[in-house]
């Protein structure tokens, strides 16, 4: 549930941040764009038309001149300017480029008034009886003519409020749909968990009830027909079997609960400094104290240099990981085997990695099981077998450890975990 809530929060805040960044980007672009264009106002034909003067000589011909402020404005942008009379002739110019002609046809005037004049960006302004043209160097201004039908513009203005409402609705309804989908998924998951618990608990629970019923009938009949030992021995044997199956049920329920919490982020886990060698020995002692058969030999190998190795993690989860791997070796090797828990260092380029390895000398696992252990975990599918390994993978993923399963060359199953710490000699 917490992971779903976190996802919805991230979804909402991501959209809010995107909207804020979009508005901020538009403001920044507008600010710098207006600042950049502000300097161009003095080169506009409207400004220059106020700086140009017209006089008529004795022959009745018009003559033009520009003030010093106008020519300085042109010089700042390395531009040019000229005046066309009604016949299309250039009657006055300032810094006119050599490739600009002295006469223009009406068609030429129409073309450059909208776009470019020989690739020079130009602007025009109508004087009393002439046309003022101001130009800039090539590759300095981007010009493009846009035109829209009035109906199109009106449609766009009508659509903008509708699109805004739709976008807001999507931002509000989207998380709601995600929550509903998550609720249906959790319900399906809950049904799967219940079915898995019923399936996996049925066998050990049947054995517990069977042994208890057998003890009850034996006690009622005065333990008649008890063979192969005393009454106390018979009771002790049955009690041990009941204890084993009860422990199996407890381990199963614990794994189911841990897996469910890790899958949906419902557990409260602590990332604290944990002395790993002490934790490994404590986990091994806990398994041995359950009274496992003597045919299982568990050994712990830790170099002296790693005796003070601290890791960041949750103590309960790390113990569950180790116990699951030990239980896996015991449950899948009924003939007995040797089990080794070891800590070693491995150099990867210039970094040192700490490797926790739990291996056995048993029969190993099939290729199909290895492929299953390495495949992606699906929340909707509860494994009928290998739940302990699934929890191991979830715990490793929670701590961001690299996990590998393999069969040993001499036989047996190996789980190798590359731990996060690169400095193995730090105390908390």
């Amino acid at each position: 549930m917490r992971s779903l809530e976190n996802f919805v929060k991230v979804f909402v805040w991501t959209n809010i941040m995107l909207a804020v960044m979009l508005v901020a980007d538009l403001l920044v672009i507008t600010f710098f764009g207006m600042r950049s264009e502000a300097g161009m106002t003095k080169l506009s034909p409207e400004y220059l038309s106020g700086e140009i003067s017209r006089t008529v000589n004795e022959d009745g011909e018009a003559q033009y001149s520009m003030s010093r402020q106008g020519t300085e404005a042109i010089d700042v942008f390395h531009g040019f300017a000229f005046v066309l009379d009604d016949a299309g002739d250039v009657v006055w110019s300032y810094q006119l480029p050599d490739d600009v002609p002295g006469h223009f046809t009406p068609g030429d005037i129409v073309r450059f008034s909208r776009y470019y004049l020989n690739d020079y960006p130009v602007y025009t302004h109508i004087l009393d009886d002439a046309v003022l043209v101001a130009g800039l160097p090539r590759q300095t201004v981007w010009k493009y003519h846009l035109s829209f039908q009035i109906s199109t513009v009106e449609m766009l203005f009508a659509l903008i409020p509708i699109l805004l409402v739709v976008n807001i609705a999507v931002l509000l309804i989207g998380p709601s749909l995600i929550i509903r989908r998550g609720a249906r998924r959790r319900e399906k998951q809950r049904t799967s968990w219940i079915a898995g618990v019923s399936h996996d608990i049925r066998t050990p629970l049947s054995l517990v009830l069977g042994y208890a019923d057998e003890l009850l009938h034996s006690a009622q009949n005065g333990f008649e027909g008890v063979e192969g030992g005393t009454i106390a021995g018979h009771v002790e044997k049955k009690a041990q079997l009941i204890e084993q199956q009860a422990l199996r049920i407890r381990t199963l329920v614990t794994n189911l609960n841990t897996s469910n919490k890790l899958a949906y982020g419902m557990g409260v886990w602590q990332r604290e400094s944990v002395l790993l060698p002490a934790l490994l020995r404590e986990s091994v002692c806990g398994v041995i104290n359950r009274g496992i058969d003597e045919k299982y030999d568990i050994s712990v190998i830790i170099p002296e240099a790693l005796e003070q190795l601290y890791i960041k993690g949750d103590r309960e989860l790390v113990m569950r990981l180790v116990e699951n791997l030990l239980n896996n070796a015991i449950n899948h090797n009924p003939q007995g085997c040797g089990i080794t828990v070891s800590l070693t260092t491995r150099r990867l380029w210039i970094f040192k990695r700490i490797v926790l390895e739990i291996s056995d000398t048993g029969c190993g696992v099939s290729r199909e099981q290895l492929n299953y252990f390495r495949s992606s975990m699906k929340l909707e599918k509860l494994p009928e077998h290998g739940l302990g390994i699934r929890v191991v993978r979830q715990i490793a993923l929670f701590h961001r450890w690299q996990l590998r399963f393999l069969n040993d060359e001499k036989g047996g199953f190996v789980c190798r975990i590359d731990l996060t710490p690169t400095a193995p000699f730090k105390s908390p």
Side-chain angles (χ1 to χ4, degrees), residues 287-298 330 339:
V287 173
I288 294 176
N289 291 338
R290 288 192 335 226
I292 62 173
D293 202 292
E294 295 180 355
K295 57 187 176 182
Y296 298 102
D297 180 24
I298 305 178
I330 294 172
I339 304 173

Side-chain angles (χ1 to χ4, degrees), residues 55-271:
T55 60
V56 179
N57 60 15
E58 296 178 355
D59 297 333
E61 296 178 354
Q63 294 182 341
Y64 297 88
S65 63
M66 183 170 287
S67 66
R68 183 178 177 182
Q69 291 82 359
T71 57
E72 287 179 351
I74 296 174
D75 292 337
V76 169
F77 294 96
H78 307 287
F80 61 91
F82 62 91
V83 175
L84 293 177
D85 61 11
D86 293 338
D89 295 322
V90 176
V91 296
W92 174 88
S93 66
Y94 178 75
Q95 294 186 352
L96 188 66
D98 296 336
D99 55 349
V100 174
H103 175 78
F104 295 89
T105 65
D108 295 332
I109 297 174
V110 171
R111 279 191 292 271
F112 76 67
S113 64
R114 299 179 62 186
Y115 299 107
Y116 295 86
L117 171 59
N118 292 351
D119 293 331
Y120 294 105
V122 293
Y123 306 90
T124 59
H125 183 76
I126 299 176
L127 303 177
D128 293 336
D129 56 351
V131 176
L132 173 63
V133 181
L136 290 170
R138 293 187 175 100
Q139 305 297 323
T140 56
V141 175
W142 179 80
K143 291 184 64 179
Y144 197 81
H145 177 72
L146 297 176
S147 63
F148 298 95
Q149 295 183 16
I150 296 297
S151 59
T152 303
V153 176
E154 293 175 348
M155 180 187 66
L156 290 176
F157 278 107
L159 281 177
I160 288 175
I162 298 175
L163 293 175
L164 183 61
V165 172
V166 170
N167 290 336
I168 295 175
V170 169
L171 292 177
L172 296 177
I173 297 175
S176 176
L177 295 177
I178 293 174
I179 292 174
R180 290 186 180 182
R181 181 180 178 184
R184 290 194 297 267
R185 187 179 182 184
R186 289 196 305 276
E187 185 62 30
K188 182 179 179 181
Q189 180 70 22
R190 189 178 295 110
T191 303
S192 178
W193 283 117
I194 294 173
V197 171
S198 301
H199 179 276
D200 288 343
I201 289 181
R202 187 181 298 117
T203 300
L205 189 59
S206 298
L207 292 174
V208 169
L209 294 174
Y211 294 144
D213 185 68
E214 183 178 341
L215 285 175
L216 177 62
H217 281 78
S218 297
Q220 290 175 347
N221 297 326
F223 292 96
E224 294 179 359
V226 174
E227 300 178 357
T230 62
I231 294 175
H234 177 76
V235 173
E236 181 181 1
K237 180 179 179 181
K238 295 300 181 183
Q240 288 177 349
L241 293 174
I242 291 174
E243 182 184 18
Q244 290 175 1
Q245 297 304 320
L247 288 173
R248 182 180 174 187
I249 293 174
R250 186 182 69 179
T251 300
L252 173 63
V253 172
T254 302
N255 278 333
L256 287 169
N257 189 37
T258 303
S259 179
N260 192 29
K261 288 181 178 180
L262 286 170
Y264 289 102
M266 296 186 295
V268 181
W269 314 113
Q270 303 295 329
R271 293 186 182 272

Side-chain angles (χ1 to χ4, degrees), residues 54 86 107 116 178 188 274 310-311 318 344 366 376:
R54 175 180 179 273
D86 293 338
Y116 295 86
I178 293 174
K188 182 179 179 181
V274 178
Y310 283 84
I311 62 171
V318 177
T344 57
S366 64
S376 60

Side-chain angles (χ1 to χ4, degrees), residues 270-285:
Q270 303 295 329
R271 293 186 182 272
E272 56 186 356
S273 293
V274 178
L275 183 59
L276 186 57
L279 184 144
L280 294 178
R281 292 189 175 95
E282 182 181 346
S283 300
V284 170
C285 290

